[in-house]
Amino acid sequence: HILSDLQTRRSGTRVFAGKQGFITLRDLFRWAQRYSHAQAHVAPGAHVDHNRILAEDGYMLLAERVRDPAEKAVVKACIEKHLKTTIDEDTLYGGTGDVDK
């Protein structure tokens, strides 16, 4: 669903254009591979928020390929919508979000 949603939004942004397309099958496979590696490090019986892990990995993989904050917001909103979770960039990157400090 995320792939389809992002592809339908491509007409409004250059990130999805032609060979410079924003999301590819290779990206989806890399995303899945990251998730499987994360699962390997989970302690047996531990509670894991799978949707949050998928959302964060997907955001890092897909949104960080673009420079325009509006395009990153499109990716973030799409991932959050379909995985029904929120992505906190400050927590994700371990900072305050203020690069000047």
Side-chain angles (χ1 to χ4, degrees):
H1 298 286
I2 294 172
L3 173 63
S4 300
D5 199 1
L6 288 173
Q7 287 175 332
T8 58
R9 295 173 188 227
R10 75 176 161 204
S11 60
T13 177
R14 293 183 0 207
V15 221
F16 300 99
K19 285 187 177 183
Q20 304 304 316
F22 174 64
I23 187 169
T24 64
L25 287 176
R26 180 176 179 224
D27 294 328
L28 292 177
F29 288 124
R30 288 177 62 203
W31 189 358
Q33 185 177 18
R34 282 182 171 197
Y35 178 73
S36 67
H37 286 298
Q39 288 302 101
H41 301 309
V42 173
H47 171 71
V48 179
D49 184 349
H50 299 282
N51 284 356
R52 185 185 54 79
I53 293 170
L54 280 170
E56 290 175 351
D57 284 348
Y59 181 80
M60 288 187 288
L61 182 65
L62 302 175
E64 294 306 323
R65 292 180 61 184
V66 298
R67 295 177 188 229
D68 183 358
E71 292 170 342
K72 284 185 180 188
V74 167
V75 173
K76 181 179 177 186
C78 180
I79 291 172
E80 290 176 337
K81 171 185 165 188
H82 291 287
L83 293 178
K84 297 177 182 14
T85 190
T86 57
I87 299 168
D88 182 353
E89 295 168 66
D90 289 339
T91 303
L92 183 61
Y93 294 115
T96 62
D98 187 358
V99 244
D100 294 330
K101 290 188 177 182

